[in-house]
């Protein structure tokens, strides 16, 4: 039995970013299954509309709102677009993200800054736009997808790890700020999840070589994240394995970690063949893999 989120009555909805795939799609599916109206936000209209058609059912409305969240002007139009649907946001799930695998010096600067723009700037912007209304109503919930690498610097994923560390810090502080107002804020920190994100980051083969017990599942991450949000837990690591890993990474001196990674990093250095541009804007010829999350 899953816990029920305490949210405003209709016409409220859950808005999920990064809903076209991976954990975002799993969150949207779980929320619709729990009876929430859902607003799907991502860049790929076709995927959003397909998911909306699959999730909609009697008593549950699901809407697709295509949006490039790296575009500040496009983000600014989201509250109006939600209002035009006759809805207000009572649950905000920040799941959109991209990662650049490789050394910073091999990445085009605009690719690295795009990671910060989507992973961090967009989340802060959407929280600033939607959370004040939750506070005024005295109810609402925010779930932000962080990462196990939120707790440690990660060479060859330096910008991604830094953006997720900042995101975890932001989420924890926001939790403290709005808790007295009745608004829940939770950061979920999954480990390795075999999704499209990993494939487009050039890590698909490494993930396929991992034993099944070492992998997180997107649906489990979504369900445990939402259950933790219903309890207003500040941070949740969905699996016991990764809870132990997070503790070890926090305690391990960075110098020791960097030494281990020099001997066998799971991440490419970015100096191999370039991959084609993907939906998150990977540039052919950059020598860097860019993955949407």
């Amino acid at each position: 039995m899953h816990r029920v989120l305490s949210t405003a009555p209709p016409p409220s909805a859950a808005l999920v970013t990064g809903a076209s795939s991976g954990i975002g799609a799993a969150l949207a599916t779980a929320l619709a299954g729990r009876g929430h109206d859902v607003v799907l936000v991502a860049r790929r209209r076709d995927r959003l509309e397909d998911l909306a058609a699959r999730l909609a059912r009697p008593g549950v409305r699901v809407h697709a709102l295509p949006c490039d969240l790296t575009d500040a002007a496009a983000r600014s139009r989201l509250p109006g677009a939600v209002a035009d649907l006759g809805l207000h946001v009572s649950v905000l799930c920040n799941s959109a993200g991209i990662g650049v695998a490789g050394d910073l010096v091999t990445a085009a600067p605009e690719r690295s800054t795009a990671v910060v723009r989507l992973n961090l700037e967009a989340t802060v912007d959407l929280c600033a736009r939607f959370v004040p209304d939750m506070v005024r109503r005295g109810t609402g919930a925010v779930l932000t997808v962080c990462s196990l690498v939120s707790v440690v610097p990660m060479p060859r994923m330096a910008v991604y790890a830094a953006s997720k560390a900042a995101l975890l810090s932001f989420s924890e502080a926001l939790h403290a700020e709005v808790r007295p107002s009745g608004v829940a804020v939770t950061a979920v920190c999954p480990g390795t999840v075999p999704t499209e994100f990993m494939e487009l980051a050039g890590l698909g083969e490494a993930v396929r070589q991992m034993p099944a017990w070492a992998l997180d599942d997107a649906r489990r991450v979504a369900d445990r994240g939402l259950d933790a949000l219903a309890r207003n837990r500040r941070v949740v690591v969905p699996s016991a394995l990764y809870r132990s890993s997070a503790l070890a990474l926090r305690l391990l001196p960075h110098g020791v970690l960097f030494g281990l990674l020099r001997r066998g990093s799971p991440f490419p250095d970015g100096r191999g063949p370039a991959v084609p541009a993907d939906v998150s804007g990977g540039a052919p010829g950059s020598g860097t893999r860019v993955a949407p999350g």
Side-chain angles (χ1 to χ4, degrees):
M1 177 72 69
H2 295 299
R3 288 180 175 263
V4 178
L5 289 169
S6 176
T7 59
S12 68
L15 187 149
V16 183
T17 70
S20 60
S21 64
I23 295 172
L27 282 167
T29 301
L31 286 160
R34 297 177 190 214
H36 294 269
D37 287 349
V38 184
V39 178
L40 309 174
V41 176
R43 289 173 53 158
R44 293 173 280 187
R45 177 186 293 273
D46 57 339
R47 290 198 180 192
L48 294 184
E49 291 178 346
D50 178 67
L51 182 60
R54 286 189 282 115
L55 296 184
R57 66 197 69 175
V60 175
R61 297 184 296 167
V62 184
H63 305 272
L65 285 183
C67 179
D68 180 359
L69 292 173
T70 64
D71 183 337
R75 291 198 305 265
S76 72
R77 293 190 289 269
L78 267 180
V82 173
D84 288 344
L85 295 171
L87 299 169
H88 61 262
V89 173
S90 62
V91 180
L92 174 62
C93 293
N94 298 299
S95 183
I98 52 176
V100 177
D103 293 341
L104 178 69
V105 297
T106 68
E110 58 269 20
R111 301 280 71 81
S112 295
T113 55
V115 173
V116 178
R117 191 171 299 120
L118 180 59
N119 295 4
L120 181 60
E121 180 185 293
T123 296
V124 173
D125 190 0
L126 294 182
C127 286
R129 293 180 187 280
F130 291 114
V131 172
D133 282 343
M134 298 180 189
V135 170
R136 281 191 287 271
R137 293 189 182 95
T139 186
V142 179
L143 181 69
T144 296
V145 178
C146 296
S147 170
L148 191 66
V149 300
S150 297
V151 304
V152 65
M154 189 58 63
R156 296 187 179 176
M157 287 289 280
V159 180
Y160 176 79
S163 71
K164 291 295 186 177
L167 202 56
L168 178 59
S169 175
F170 170 74
S171 181
E172 290 194 79
L174 184 62
H175 170 97
E177 289 180 2
V178 301
R179 183 172 185 173
S181 302
V183 177
V185 178
T186 296
V188 58
C189 297
T192 302
V193 183
T195 64
E196 183 184 35
F197 181 101
M198 293 295 180
E199 294 292 336
L200 293 173
L203 301 173
E205 186 57 35
V207 170
R208 283 187 287 276
Q209 292 178 7
M210 294 176 65
W213 55 263
L215 299 174
D216 261 344
D217 176 76
R219 290 171 297 181
R220 180 174 62 187
V221 170
D223 281 331
R224 293 190 178 177
L226 291 173
D227 286 346
L229 183 62
R231 299 184 185 97
N232 198 14
R233 291 183 56 186
R234 189 177 71 255
V235 181
V236 61
V237 180
S239 76
L241 171 66
Y242 285 116
R243 284 194 291 275
S244 300
S245 299
L247 178 60
L249 287 172
R250 285 183 183 274
L251 297 176
L252 191 67
H254 290 169
V256 175
L257 173 66
F258 297 158
L260 293 172
L261 289 174
R262 279 195 297 272
R263 296 186 185 96
S265 175
F267 305 120
D269 62 12
R271 300 179 192 277
V275 297
D278 62 43
V279 294
S280 290
S286 68
T288 303
R289 295 173 171 86
V290 182

